[in-house]
Amino acid sequence: MTVTTALPHAEALALADEQLASWLKQEGCEEPPPALRTPAGQPPVTGRPSTGPASDAPPPDAPPPAAPGLGERLRLGERVLLDRDHGPLRGGPGAGRYDRRRLRTPAPHGTQQLTLTVATGAGGPTWVRLEAETHNTGSGVRTPCRVPVPELARSLLPLLDATDGPATVHSAPRVITADEVDALIDELCDPDRRLPVVVASVPVNLPTDRWVEDVVGPLCHQLPGLATAYVLDPGARTGFNVALEYHTVYGGAVRTYLPEVDPASRQDGARHPVLARGRIEEDLRRAAGLLAREPRRLAAEQPLPPPLAAVPVLRVPPSRLRPAAGQSADRSAVDQGAEQTAARAELAALAHEEQQDRAEQQARADELERVRHTLRLERRDHRERGQAREGHDTREVREGREGRLRAGARALAGRHCSTSGSGPALGQHSAGRPGSFTELLARLGEFPLLSFTGDQKAALALDELQRTGAGWARLAWDGLTALQEYAEAAVRGAAGGDFKQWCEHTPEGCHRFPPRKAVRGESRTVFSHTKWKRERMLPVPECVDASRRAFMGAHLRIGGGRTAPRLHYLDDCSGSGRIYVGYIGLHLTNTRTN
């Protein structure tokens, strides 16, 4: 866990020490004494500073306070060790300061290690990092592959008012309303964001509170400190999916948005994994582990912020040499002098060995940080090369990503039918209406809220009917144009009904499609006929239906006569914020076809 806090360094450290002591007390361990420190640049003093009578002075055998950069080791119980150190950051006295706590506790077939570091750079915020590890004893017994999120992380986040860039890091999922969608999109596109953002959707037929309590809460149990979780309520879901055309989430699915989101890039959408509702409900515990996989990977691989990267490796002084049991203390001055000389030589050798070990540890830590930076740069370059191939200018991606994308997302979210009558309507631009279905299929990208999921062969076959094919293509284009305008209003809750009603009462300035050619659904005979119904079970994404099929009875008449072409669609504006066109072709089987 790596977060920032607006609290001063000393206050953040005091809160961390208080929570750590409380947890140790609950575990039946001794409460650690207050940390004694020596100001940087001054020699260490023995004992605590006296604030009362001489009787309050520490006993002669009390350990001295830890000098800057040199830690102290405390034994708080059987096999429970607490190491503490503090000092200036590497780079000089003006670079900042750090404090660190490392706790080792026994675990089955190993040792659990918890490291808490508080670091503050010159003029910067206070950084808090919490690392949890399990060290195997090498007994051959397999230990759990995942370290659970420490309770210390759950308790510290609200106390520290932890943040990731300008966004607050919550310890539990938070419900987002329609008014908060813009703020959430700003957080996703923030270039300073380090933590992943997990966004959950709610199935259309379930109340938000119940879904959050029964599913999203347990699903996000392993995420505190590793990611920030949100839940889109029905009003927020449609606006969010309209703004993020290539990064949508709906139908009870959960999506993890990694740092550096590019809302205008279709290719970037594949980088942010989606956990489907079916997989979540199949095994909630396993789904929680899958959801935590990317945040854990990112936490381990992401480069540290400069203040934390400048923290030196932990250095604990070697243990003092004690007389052997039964050894007489009544010795001659010569013997004592010889032993002191030997002890000093042994301590000097130990100090030299410890200095070499520390140098090696620091070199390994620096090398790990260089690998993290290299890996991050390689992945970023790979993404930008892909975005350049996709049609983006490479320099624009690197220098203007955030402002360009924010403007594009906001424009898409607020687009509506023109009421002034000036300018061409959607689909009526200078390119004109297509003269064939081949051209129509090639231009489907002009309708951002429509997705064609069917087989193109059925539509292309209409071009072979040269006499009437062009008229059918133009009528189909008119229908798609009206569907797009309806979808833009429906996701904002301003459509006033379904598409049939939209055609009957088309708003001024929008493209009109004949109401008699818009059919709400098939007859009861077709719906109850197994074979005919199967023909109308058309492809949809898994997030719409786990079977990847949905009945599309609603259709547009784009021709007449015995061939009678049709366009079948599914209106999912209330769910995913999109309309899925599953079929364009000759009339499917019914009582009138042969």
Side-chain angles (χ1 to χ4, degrees), residues 262-281:
D262 186 345
S265 170
R266 185 188 298 272
Q267 183 181 21
D268 182 72
R271 191 170 61 92
H272 309 280
V274 178
L275 191 60
R277 176 187 177 184
R279 198 163 192 178
I280 295 171
E281 294 181 325

Side-chain angles (χ1 to χ4, degrees), residues 137-303:
T137 56
S139 59
V141 179
R142 185 178 180 182
T143 57
C145 58
R146 291 192 190 93
V147 180
V149 174
E151 287 302 318
L152 186 60
R154 305 180 194 275
S155 61
L156 275 180
L157 286 175
L159 293 175
L160 294 173
D161 292 328
T163 58
D164 177 32
T168 302
V169 180
H170 306 279
S171 57
R174 189 170 74 86
V175 177
I176 294 294
T177 62
D179 295 337
E180 300 172 300
V181 168
D182 283 346
L184 176 57
I185 295 175
D186 287 339
E187 180 177 344
L188 293 180
C189 299
D190 184 358
D192 296 327
R193 178 168 66 91
R194 294 175 52 89
L195 298 182
V197 174
V198 174
V199 179
S201 60
V202 181
V204 177
N205 58 339
L206 290 178
T208 301
D209 294 343
R210 177 183 170 189
W211 183 256
V212 171
E213 180 180 356
D214 295 344
V215 178
V216 181
L219 186 67
C220 298
H221 183 70
Q222 302 181 27
L223 296 183
L226 297 175
T228 305
Y230 298 100
V231 182
L232 299 174
D233 73 1
R237 177 187 59 233
T238 52
F240 180 87
N241 287 329
V242 170
L244 297 180
E245 177 185 0
Y246 304 122
H247 302 73
T248 57
V249 57
Y250 45 85
V254 177
R255 189 161 198 166
T256 301
Y257 295 89
L258 302 178
E260 301 180 1
V261 172
D262 186 345
S265 170
R266 185 188 298 272
Q267 183 181 21
D268 182 72
R271 191 170 61 92
H272 309 280
V274 178
L275 191 60
R277 176 187 177 184
R279 198 163 192 178
I280 295 171
E281 294 181 325
E282 179 182 358
D283 189 339
L284 186 58
R285 184 176 180 182
R286 175 173 174 78
L290 293 174
L291 185 64
R293 181 179 296 173
E294 276 299 297
R296 287 176 179 268
R297 178 195 65 79
L298 192 65
E301 295 181 0
Q302 196 170 31

